[in-house]
Amino acid sequence: MHMIYPPRCLNCGEMVESDFGLCGPCWRDTPFIGGVVCDLCGTPLPGGEIGEIAHCDDCLAIARPWTRGRAALVYDGTGRRLVLALKHDDRHEIVQPAARWMVQAARPILDPDSVIAPVPLHWTRLLQRRFNQSALLARAISRETGLPHCPDLLRRMKRTEVLDGKGRDQRFAALSATIKVPWTRAELIRNRAVLLVDDVMTSGATLAACADACLAAGATQVCVIVMARVAKRP
């Protein structure tokens, strides 16, 4: 098969040794998150010692309804290009490696009793886009970890305006009480932990709305994992 369809770098398209990989230069340029990170959102932090519990300025200023969180990449450079390629260019081959990177980042926060759930799209937006990238990532993470997942655990009750370019307060206001756990799914998470999956975290407003809905439905705790975190430049 490789003679007909040789494996190519997910980012630049150069030939690589194996499927679903990055070439050497793109791997070096991809902003993987490591070292000391915020325990609530996964953003990289300067200084400190690996393993210590630390929080970024945003998470100190904003009450997060979830317990812990991680991100695989910084939403910049190659990380941003990979997210946008998955989200807007139907590059589904990015899902598998992205899920592996996300699982690696989430190892310290994985609960063996967790139910994995994606951040939902409103049905009208799902019809337009034809797929929910967060649901694809959640399914792949479920396969990687062996944890159960529920693709329709959460439902957007109304279509919100596009949040790109909105400030933090505008994002939280737009998403307030817009996401629910249907009563037909509530029993799946009652007295269990939930791992929420999304492609990008900016302000955290969408994840907060999802976490609030899960806790209201009886979840014991919520953790979050995203493919990329928008981080402030130093």
Side-chain angles (χ1 to χ4, degrees):
M1 182 63 73
H2 283 177
M3 294 182 66
I4 303 173
Y5 302 108
R8 294 187 177 276
C9 173
L10 292 169
N11 181 53
C12 71
E14 289 294 316
M15 286 191 290
V16 292
E17 293 183 359
S18 59
D19 290 324
F20 312 119
L22 295 166
C23 68
C26 286
W27 179 271
R28 289 191 294 272
D29 289 342
T30 300
F32 291 102
I33 294 176
V36 179
V37 301
C38 174
D39 197 52
L40 281 168
C41 73
T43 196
L45 297 174
E49 297 183 4
I50 295 177
E52 74 172 285
I53 304 298
H55 297 122
C56 68
D57 291 343
D58 281 351
C59 290
L60 288 172
I62 306 169
R64 305 294 194 189
W66 63 85
T67 304
R68 304 181 77 186
R70 290 294 186 273
L73 308 169
V74 173
Y75 187 70
D76 193 25
T78 304
R80 181 176 182 274
R81 286 191 292 273
L82 290 172
V83 169
L84 294 178
L86 169 59
K87 189 170 185 175
H88 298 300
D89 297 338
D90 294 357
R91 294 279 308 281
H92 292 190
E93 73 274 15
I94 294 171
V95 170
Q96 182 176 326
R100 289 199 298 264
W101 302 335
M102 292 167 74
V103 169
Q104 182 63 30
R107 290 288 181 199
I109 68 171
L110 287 180
D111 185 318
D113 192 43
S114 291
V115 175
I116 298 172
V119 167
L121 289 176
H122 189 263
W123 68 269
T124 56
R125 191 156 282 141
L126 183 60
L127 281 177
Q128 290 177 339
R129 194 176 294 170
R130 305 187 310 280
F131 67 93
N132 177 358
Q133 68 279 1
S134 298
L136 297 180
L137 291 168
R139 182 175 62 186
I141 290 171
S142 175
R143 288 197 300 262
E144 287 284 327
T145 61
L147 296 174
H149 92 295
C150 182
D152 58 351
L153 177 69
L154 293 154
R155 182 180 299 165
R156 283 189 186 253
M157 307 308 292
K158 73 172 188 176
R159 178 168 177 162
T160 54
E161 57 186 317
V162 175
L163 298 178
D164 292 348
K166 300 290 185 183
R168 184 185 73 189
D169 293 342
Q170 290 174 303
R171 286 171 176 262
F172 277 88
L175 285 157
S176 177
T178 62
I179 299 175
K180 302 288 186 183
V181 175
W183 68 267
T184 54
R185 293 290 180 266
E187 192 60 36
L188 295 175
I189 61 169
R190 189 166 291 122
N191 298 319
R192 297 185 68 177
V194 174
L195 179 66
L196 289 175
V197 176
D198 205 1
D199 56 346
V200 179
M201 177 181 171
T202 304
S203 68
T206 303
L207 288 164
C210 292
D212 282 337
C214 290
L215 294 170
T220 55
Q221 70 169 14
V222 177
C223 291
V224 303
I225 176 66
V226 297
M227 181 176 169
R229 172 71 164 109
V230 175
K232 294 178 179 177
R233 296 182 181 275

